[in-house]
């Protein structure tokens, strides 16, 4: 073991510094730097093959980067073998030991630490109660359902009280209903244990509902890192805007700037855009990529100071809680989603002309 | 779904009769009172009782079992470790070695037999201890057993997710503990099945044994061959029946073992 | 993004040359080193007791036989010339005939096994899951019992006093007291009986994977059962047919016990020729040349087998 680092009780649970990893010609990680704070639920979100699982395996010690640095709890960890790292993993395939019973599976990590039999029984039992798998204790993995296996895999990892729990698509193999149920449970569990969770998923819903912060990854890079709100409300790149939620994207041309207020020419006409301070340097370029979420567009009314454009309703899809509209604005179409609050007196029909309002603060500017 | 047809069922039944006719006939004749030839004279268990006083047969039995046990012990050891290494490690020329390993499986018995005969003859010129006998037979048997064990154990390991071993490491088990608590227990059914098959192979082998045996190391198959060649067969039927039954039981055990462990994973 | 600051920079960024093996970082070379220790003993063993002896055989096949049967290490092609009919008195057909006969027996056995094995494979594939493994075990049991004993059993079955001879005599097909061996029919019957399991197992494996939709589509398009089988089924099970064919052909060609016990002296195959040269004739160099030919046949068969199974030459062990 390395000597205790003075910063070992630092606020950061995991620090990744410019990690790169190649598999032959494929660049799985192209220089990833990110920090995970102690006690947070951190998600790595991205399509398959974006490098998120590779990153997780490097943190677990099951793979090594070609270059870069890694600290876990402030301690340099790349040289530590997997079994000496204070992390545990919930594998996507669960990887339960087929020849051991559920309780033996859960006790495995504690046995490897040579804890006393009494201590092992105590902790195994309390974890099985926590994850509600007490009745399954004597069964073997092949006698469990998918959801039960998932709970056992989770219990087997958290019983070791790791500094960081790594979850590799833990809910990926389950059906939708069970997934929703376990999402909530996982979230509560994390808050109760105050353990750092690093969670890998390709499911944006899962990442958004459970996480404190999300790193959106694409092609071996972190595209954006932030809270779910930040990522949704202020996507930084085209990839993030399109990967998370629905988005109207259109090109624009820079005209003028006054403080954080930007004017741009676009297929929708001249638009006023309010920018947060971080994006302003981008705005000086000639060509701009603009976006707005469908539910941030109002069809009737809006506020003073909104950009207003005239259009015609081309299609309406009624979806119970909400209605989706496709609006033709001449050169471009816009998707608009509106909650059916029942507050509008007159219904809208296909062919109606509407005045679309886009608030300057709701339009965002994207890189590439 | 494949439709079952009476025609294929009938053929399958006939094939079954065809495959088992030789085994059944040997067992039936082992109860025949006739001393020579294939005519049926009457029922007796005399031939089995007489085996107890048949010294050459007893010596051959002891040789056969000793040979099978020794060679299986070493081949299980070498073959299982090989299977573990080949399924969990990458190394240069692995494909080439993979092919080399299959040579003893496919080579005609007789070619392997004369090659070893020649090899031992050459060795004898420089080294003592390679006189044809139990030692040379054991060396030969280990050689053709290793690949069978390696193949069976590797097949078993291919069914086991390597992620299990990663999970063990993740849970704090170093390489030795991972092997002891995870890998080895999962290999055991393969090792047992491979060992039983290797044991049967040794028990049944005639050609290689015939060419590498020396005075005093006659095994049952060699004894049977020389008796058949000389036309002295009545007590041979009893010995042969016993061998057939032992082999059949072994195969049934292996099949049962596989069926049982398959469910468990 | 505002991160908690005050973290020291990572020391130096260097290339990492280790590999991870089940969570264990290994320095360069350690991986191969361990593999060598694990696989080395068995591979060295097989090399030492299989490859080296075979090299000796190849070398010996170019040597000469002394007058007293001793080996004279002088290079010659003579053994191979003899093998292909070069006799002291012009063309001598004995040796080429042995080779041709062996190949013929091999092909005939493979063909017969295929004919008989196909319906059996289809039947097993049509069984319910539980019975499949029972049927496969039944097929496999004879294979794992002593070949010598089974061959000897055919002597009993085919002997003049045996039941088969009785039946044929009663049917008037053969005169009473005729033995059904030695001879071609006896050899072939025993060969097929011994190697049928080798054919049924790979055949069954590919029948099991058969896509019947294709066959049904062909039937829908009006193909006759025969054409349907030929065009929609055979292409799908061809790998199994070839794999089974090779697995039967190879050992059948090199068989020694069956022709020895059931074929008599006139029906010697390669195996018997090798045995004779190493045994009574004491012409080891010539015997080695025959063995080398048998080896070449094996290599050709294996090459074919590897191609069919796309290099995944896992022997489908019973």
């Amino acid at each position: 073991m390395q000597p205790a680092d003075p910063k070992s009780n630092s606020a950061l649970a995991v620090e990744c510094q410019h990690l790169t990893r190649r598999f032959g010609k494929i660049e799985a990680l192209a220089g990833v730097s990110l920090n995970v704070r102690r006690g947070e639920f951190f998600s790595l979100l991205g399509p398959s093959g974006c490098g998120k699982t590779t990153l997780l395996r490097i943190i677990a010690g099951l793979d090594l980067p070609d270059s870069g640095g890694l600290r876990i709890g402030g301690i340099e960890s790349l040289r530590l073998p997997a079994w000496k790292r204070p992390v545990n993993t919930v594998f996507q395939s669960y990887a339960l030991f087929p020849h051991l019973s559920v309780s033996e599976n859960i006790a495995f990590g504690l046995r490897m630490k040579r804890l006393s039999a009494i201590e092992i029984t105590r902790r195994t039992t309390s974890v099985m109660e926590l994850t509600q798998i007490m009745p399954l204790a004597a069964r073997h993995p092949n006698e469990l359902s998918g959801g039960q296996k998932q709970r056992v895999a989770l219990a087997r990892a958290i019983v070791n009280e790791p500094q960081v729990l790594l979850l590799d698509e833990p809910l990926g193999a389950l059906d939708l209903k069970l997934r929703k149920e376990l999402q909530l449970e996982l979230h509560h569990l994390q808050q109760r244990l105050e353990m750092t969770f690093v969670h890998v998923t390709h499911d944006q819903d899962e990442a958004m509902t459970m996480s404190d912060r999300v790193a959106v990854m694409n092609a071996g890079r972190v595209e954006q890192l932030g809270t779910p709100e930040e990522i949704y409300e202020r996507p930084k790149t085209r990839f993030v805007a399109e990967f998370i939620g629905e988005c109207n994207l259109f090109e624009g041309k820079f005209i003028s700037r006054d403080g954080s207020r930007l004017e741009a020419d676009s297929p929708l006409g001249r638009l006023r855009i309010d920018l947060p301070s971080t994006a302003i340097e981008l705005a000086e370029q000639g060509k701009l990529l603009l976006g707005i979420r469908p539910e941030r567009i109002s069809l009737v009314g809006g506020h003073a100071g909104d950009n207003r454009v005239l259009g015609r309703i081309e299609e309406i899809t009624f979806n119970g809680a909400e209605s989706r509209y496709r609006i033709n604005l001449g050169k471009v179409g816009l998707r608009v989603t509106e909650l059916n609050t029942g507050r509008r007196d007159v219904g809208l029909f296909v062919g109606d002309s509407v005045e679309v309002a886009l608030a300057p603060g709701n339009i965002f500017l994207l890189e590439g | 779904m494949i439709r079952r047809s009476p025609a294929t069922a009938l053929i399958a039944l006939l094939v079954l009769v065809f495959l088992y006719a030789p085994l059944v006939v040997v067992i039936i004749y082992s109860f025949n009172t006739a001393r020579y030839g294939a005519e049926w004279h009457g029922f007796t268990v005399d031939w089995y009782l007489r085996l107890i006083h048949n010294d050459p047969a007893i010596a051959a039995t002891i040789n056969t079992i000793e040979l099978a046990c020794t060679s299986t012990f070493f081949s299980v050891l070498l073959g299982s470790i090989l299977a573990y290494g080949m399924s969990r490690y990458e190394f240069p020329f692995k494909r080439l070695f993979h092919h080399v390993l299959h040579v003893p499986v496919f080579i005609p018995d007789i070619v392997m037999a004369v090659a070893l005969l020649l090899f031992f003859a050459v060795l004898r010129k420089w080294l003592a201890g390679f006189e044809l006998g139990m030692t040379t037979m054991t060396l030969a048997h280990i050689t053709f057993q290793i690949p069978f064990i390696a193949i069976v154990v590797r097949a078993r390991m291919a069914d086991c997710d390597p992620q299990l071993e990663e999970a063990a490491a993740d849970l704090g088990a170093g390489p030795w503990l991972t092997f002891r608590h995870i890998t080895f227990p999962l290999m055991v059914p393969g090792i047992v099945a491979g060992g039983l098959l290797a044991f049967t192979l040794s028990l049944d082998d005639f050609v290689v044994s015939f060419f590498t045996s020396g005075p005093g190391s006659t095994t049952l198959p060699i004894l049977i061959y020389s008796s058949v060649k000389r036309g002295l067969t009545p007590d041979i039927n009893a010995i042969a029946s016993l061998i057939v039954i032992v082999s059949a039981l072994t195969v049934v055990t292996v099949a049962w073992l596989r069926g049982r462990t398959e469910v468990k994973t | 993004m505002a991160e908690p600051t005050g973290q020291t920079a990572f020391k130096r960024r260097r290339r990492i040359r280790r590999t991870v093996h089940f969570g264990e970082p290994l320095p360069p070379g350690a991986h191969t080193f361990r593999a060598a220790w694990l696989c080395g003993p068995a591979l060295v063993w097989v090399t030492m007791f299989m490859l080296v002896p075979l090299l000796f055989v190849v070398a010996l096949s170019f040597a000469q036989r002394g007058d007293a049967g001793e080996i004279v290490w002088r290079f010659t092609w003579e053994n191979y010339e003899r093998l292909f009919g070069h006799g002291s008195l012009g063309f001598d057909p004995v040796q080429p005939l042995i080779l041709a006969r062996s190949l013929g027996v091999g092909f005939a056995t493979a063909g017969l096994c295929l004919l008989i094995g196909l319906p059996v494979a289809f039947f097993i594939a049509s069984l319910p899951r539980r019975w499949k493994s029972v049927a496969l075990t039944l097929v496999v049991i004879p294979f794992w019992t002593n070949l010598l004993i089974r061959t000897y059993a055919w002597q009993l079955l085919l002997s003049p006093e045996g039941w088969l001879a009785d039946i044929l005599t009663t049917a008037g097909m053969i005169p009473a007291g005729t033995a059904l061996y030695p001879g071609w029919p006896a050899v072939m019957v025993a060969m097929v009986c011994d190697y049928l399991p080798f054919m049924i197992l790979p055949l069954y494996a590919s029948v099991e994977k058969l896509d019947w939709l294709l066959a049904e589509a062909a039937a829908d398009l009006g193909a006759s059962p025969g054409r349907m089988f030929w065009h929609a089924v055979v292409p799908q099970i061809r790998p199994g047919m070839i794999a089974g064919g090779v697995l039967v052909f190879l050992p059948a060609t090199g068989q020694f016990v069956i022709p020895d016990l059931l074929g008599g002296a006139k029906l010697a195959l390669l195996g018997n020729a090798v045995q004779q040269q190493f045994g009574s004739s004491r012409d080891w160099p010539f015997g080695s040349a025959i063995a080398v030919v048998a080896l070449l046949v094996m290599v050709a068969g294996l090459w074919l087998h590897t191609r069919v199974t796309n290099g995944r030459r896992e022997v489908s062990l019973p």
Side-chain angles (χ1 to χ4, degrees):
Chain A
M1 289 296 267
Q2 295 202 339
D5 199 64
K7 279 173 289 298
S8 63
N9 47 11
S10 76
L12 297 181
V14 181
E15 299 157 73
C16 301
Q17 171 94 1
H18 205 81
L19 293 171
T20 64
R21 180 75 170 109
R22 270 179 170 284
F23 295 107
K25 281 187 176 169
I26 300 157
E27 201 162 30
L29 294 179
V32 168
S33 304
L34 56 82
N35 294 335
V36 179
R37 295 173 191 150
R38 195 163 286 245
E40 79 174 335
F41 198 123
F42 189 95
S43 284
L44 294 164
L45 173 65
S48 60
C50 71
K52 54 191 193 305
T53 298
T54 307
L55 183 57
L56 199 76
R57 286 174 60 83
I58 287 175
I59 299 173
L62 300 173
D63 199 357
L64 271 178
D66 296 328
S67 68
L70 170 75
R71 286 198 201 126
I72 298 171
I75 296 171
E76 295 274 358
S77 293
L78 278 185
R79 286 184 156 266
L80 285 182
W83 60 90
K84 286 189 179 164
R85 297 190 187 193
V87 301
N88 285 115
T89 310
V90 177
F91 291 87
Q92 184 173 11
S93 62
Y94 312 131
L96 299 179
F97 306 128
H99 59 297
L100 300 180
S101 70
V102 165
S103 58
E104 286 168 332
N105 261 282
I106 296 171
F108 188 81
L110 303 176
R111 270 173 69 206
M112 294 302 113
K113 281 188 194 153
R114 301 187 167 278
L115 296 187
S116 71
I118 299 165
E119 179 72 1
I120 292 177
T121 319
R122 192 184 64 73
R123 279 169 69 173
T124 310
T125 316
S126 86
V127 161
M128 284 197 288
E129 272 164 6
L130 185 68
T131 49
Q132 300 162 27
I133 48 174
M134 212 48 205
L136 309 175
R139 292 211 202 155
H140 275 261
N142 65 313
E143 300 161 330
L144 302 178
S145 71
Q148 291 170 332
K149 280 184 190 166
Q150 209 280 329
R151 282 164 197 266
V152 176
L154 188 67
R156 186 177 70 174
I158 60 178
V159 73
N160 303 295
E161 292 166 10
Q163 284 184 30
V164 182
L165 183 75
L166 306 172
L167 302 114
D168 186 2
E169 304 250 4
L171 309 176
L174 306 175
D175 61 58
L176 189 70
K177 198 170 157 244
L178 199 56
R179 208 154 66 209
K180 293 274 177 211
E181 213 178 289
L182 285 172
Q183 270 178 24
L184 268 176
E185 233 173 87
L186 210 56
H187 187 64
H188 291 158
L189 193 69
Q190 190 263 340
Q191 288 177 328
R192 219 162 122 187
L193 296 170
E194 295 173 341
M195 203 181 268
T196 313
F197 277 34
V198 177
H199 167 241
V200 155
T201 183
H202 64 266
D203 182 337
Q204 43 151 320
D205 273 350
E206 208 173 290
M208 301 299 253
T209 38
M210 294 197 283
S211 324
D212 296 318
R213 289 195 306 152
V214 178
V216 183
M217 289 186 69
N218 182 36
R221 283 169 215 285
V222 175
E223 294 260 339
Q224 188 172 359
L225 195 156
T227 62
E229 292 80 15
E230 281 168 344
I231 282 175
Y232 187 78
E233 301 289 354
R234 288 280 155 199
K236 271 162 85 178
T237 65
R238 182 192 195 118
F239 176 82
V240 176
E242 286 186 321
F243 189 71
I244 291 160
E246 266 188 285
C247 195
N248 292 296
L249 288 177
F250 43 91
E251 287 185 347
K253 224 185 230 161
F254 177 80
I255 296 175
S256 70
R257 194 187 125 199
D258 176 20
S260 66
R261 169 61 59 94
L262 180 84
E263 286 216 20
D265 198 18
S266 79
L268 281 68
R270 187 171 274 228
L271 291 178
R272 289 179 306 277
I273 304 161
D274 277 341
L275 294 175
S277 51
T278 45
I280 287 181
E281 56 190 294
L282 281 160
E284 304 292 344
Q285 297 162 6
K287 255 191 168 180
L288 304 170
L289 184 63
L290 306 169
I292 187 164
R293 299 285 180 194
E295 75 279 6
R296 289 305 167 89
I297 304 173
S298 18
L299 287 180
V300 184
H303 300 278
D306 285 358
N307 299 292
R308 286 169 194 278
V309 194
L310 267 179
R312 211 166 53 80
I313 299 180
E314 219 167 43
E315 193 184 282
I316 304 177
T317 321
F318 177 71
N319 191 17
E322 57 187 32
S323 296
R324 292 153 185 271
Y325 302 88
R326 220 173 61 218
I327 315 287
N328 190 344
L329 297 170
K331 282 178 222 160
V332 284
L334 275 185
R335 277 169 298 166
V336 179
T337 311
E338 207 173 54
L339 268 182
N340 293 325
T341 52
R343 262 182 280 166
R344 185 180 292 133
D345 307 331
V346 193
L348 291 171
F349 298 98
V350 173
D352 286 359
S353 280
V354 283
E355 196 185 34
V356 179
L358 302 90
N362 284 338
I363 303 173
F364 42 74
L365 198 61
L366 301 165
E367 299 170 21
Chain B
M1 184 56 212
I2 298 169
R3 279 169 289 248
R4 230 169 301 160
S5 82
T8 54
L10 181 67
I11 295 174
L13 188 69
L14 288 175
V15 164
L16 204 63
V17 171
F18 178 55
L19 286 178
Y20 279 85
L23 304 184
V24 173
V25 91
V26 169
I27 294 173
I28 290 176
Y29 276 107
S30 72
F31 295 107
N32 188 359
T33 33
R35 190 162 189 86
Y36 299 108
E39 216 161 342
W40 180 260
H41 282 208
F43 180 88
T44 177
V45 289
D46 220 24
W47 303 117
Y48 287 94
L49 299 176
R50 281 176 49 165
L51 284 181
I52 302 162
H53 306 293
N54 186 338
D55 291 338
I58 288 169
T61 310
I62 292 170
N63 280 340
T64 309
I65 291 171
E66 188 189 321
L67 174 64
C69 288
T70 321
S71 60
T72 307
F73 174 78
F74 286 107
S75 60
V76 161
L77 209 62
L78 289 165
S80 307
I81 297 174
L82 174 69
Y84 174 71
M86 285 190 87
S87 59
R88 291 296 183 259
Y89 286 86
E90 293 302 320
F91 51 91
F93 306 115
K94 189 169 163 182
R95 272 193 73 81
L96 178 73
F97 286 123
H98 179 76
H99 287 271
V100 165
L101 207 56
H102 281 79
V103 171
V105 177
F106 283 100
I107 196 171
D109 290 357
I110 186 82
V111 177
M112 179 167 180
V114 296
L116 283 167
L117 176 69
L118 172 64
F119 179 67
F120 290 134
V122 173
L123 275 189
R124 264 200 306 280
K125 286 194 173 174
W126 300 307
L127 292 166
F130 284 97
E131 274 70 40
L132 293 179
M134 286 304 273
T135 315
T136 51
M137 287 166 93
T138 310
L139 295 176
H141 280 221
I142 294 172
T143 309
F144 65 67
Q145 286 172 325
I146 286 175
F148 274 90
I149 290 169
I151 289 165
V152 173
V153 176
R154 264 192 91 176
R156 168 78 195 171
M157 292 199 72
D159 290 340
C160 298
D161 188 357
Q163 205 159 50
L164 293 177
E165 284 144 282
E166 292 193 337
D170 184 73
L171 290 166
W176 166 245
L177 288 177
T178 300
F179 180 79
R180 220 193 86 185
H181 291 290
I182 306 300
T183 319
F184 184 68
L186 291 174
M187 281 169 77
V188 162
I191 296 176
V192 173
L196 284 175
L197 292 182
F199 188 84
T200 320
L201 276 181
S202 168
L203 212 62
D204 287 349
D205 175 70
F206 160 64
V207 178
V208 174
S209 302
F210 186 58
F211 279 84
T212 49
S213 65
S217 67
T218 301
T219 60
L220 283 176
I222 297 174
L223 185 76
I224 294 172
Y225 179 76
S226 50
S227 306
V228 171
K229 274 298 212 188
R230 278 179 289 152
L232 304 170
T233 55
D235 37 4
I236 288 311
N237 287 333
I239 299 172
S241 303
L242 291 178
I243 295 180
V244 164
I245 287 162
V246 168
S247 303
L249 285 180
T250 313
V251 179
V252 171
T253 311
V254 171
W256 175 76
L257 206 68
R258 281 191 181 174
R260 211 183 61 128
T261 51
E262 233 164 67
V263 183
K264 267 189 110 177
T265 42
Chain C
M1 193 76 336
E3 289 296 342
T5 47
Q7 303 298 314
T8 48
F10 284 85
K11 278 162 209 157
R12 59 207 143 87
R13 208 181 289 163
R14 61 192 142 57
R15 283 206 71 72
I16 295 156
R17 294 191 183 283
R18 295 170 168 244
T19 51
V20 179
H21 187 255
F22 297 117
E24 185 184 16
L26 295 175
H31 188 91
T32 314
F33 181 75
R34 278 202 207 166
W37 272 106
L38 290 168
C39 305
L43 290 177
V44 166
W45 186 288
V46 173
T47 309
M48 167 97 175
F49 290 105
M50 191 71 265
L51 290 193
V52 172
L54 286 180
L55 286 181
F56 279 20
V57 170
V58 173
L60 188 64
S61 72
F62 293 104
Q64 292 174 357
R65 173 184 187 266
D67 293 329
E70 78 276 14
I71 298 162
V72 180
W73 288 102
R74 203 182 304 129
F75 180 86
T76 175
W77 283 102
E78 195 189 308
N79 299 312
Y80 290 97
E81 285 166 359
R82 248 176 93 190
L83 200 57
F84 291 101
H86 199 86
S88 46
L89 309 162
F91 184 75
D92 175 6
V94 174
Q95 302 302 336
L97 262 179
I98 288 177
L99 178 59
R101 206 184 285 137
S102 297
L103 295 178
V105 166
F107 280 117
T109 310
L112 282 172
C113 284
L114 180 63
L115 275 182
I116 299 170
L118 259 180
V120 179
F122 274 90
F123 175 73
I124 297 177
S126 74
L127 288 173
R129 219 180 114 73
R130 266 188 69 84
W131 288 100
K132 268 177 197 169
S133 51
V134 173
L136 288 175
T137 311
L138 277 176
V139 168
V140 156
I141 288 173
F143 164 74
W144 284 102
T145 54
N146 198 308
L147 180 122
L148 178 65
I149 294 175
R150 280 178 293 151
T151 310
Y152 155 65
W154 279 109
Q155 280 195 351
L156 291 178
L157 277 165
L158 299 174
S159 70
E161 306 93 16
W163 304 323
L164 275 172
D166 278 351
I167 296 169
L168 292 180
T169 314
T170 326
M173 288 167 79
I174 54 165
T178 322
L180 298 169
Y181 80 96
W184 277 119
V187 171
M188 287 315 296
V189 163
M191 286 271 192
V192 172
C193 180
D194 284 338
Y195 294 119
L196 201 51
F198 272 152
M199 180 61 90
I200 292 176
L201 292 178
L203 268 185
Y204 161 75
S206 48
V207 170
E208 188 62 15
K209 284 184 283 183
L210 201 64
D211 182 2
W212 280 97
L213 287 179
L214 270 177
E216 276 164 21
D220 279 348
L221 293 172
S224 67
R227 285 175 61 87
M228 181 198 87
F229 185 77
W230 187 253
H231 290 288
V233 176
V234 168
Q236 291 192 65
I237 58 172
R238 189 173 291 138
M241 290 164 74
I242 298 179
V246 171
L247 289 179
V248 172
F249 176 81
L250 288 184
T253 311
Q255 237 318 314
F256 155 64
V257 174
I258 296 173
D260 189 60
L261 292 187
L262 295 171
K266 284 183 192 156
L267 295 183
L269 301 187
L270 281 176
N272 308 89
V274 173
Q275 192 252 349
Q276 196 200 345
Q277 297 306 326
F278 272 85
S280 51
S281 303
R282 280 205 74 75
D283 190 347
W284 287 23
F286 184 51
S288 297
I290 307 173
V292 168
V293 170
L295 267 184
L296 290 178
V297 172
M298 177 193 84
V299 171
L302 285 190
W303 175 79
L304 182 68
H305 190 256
T306 310
R307 284 202 38 167
V308 173
T309 53
N310 293 326
R312 290 188 312 105
R313 171 140 49 67
E314 288 305 335
V315 186
S316 51
L317 274 181

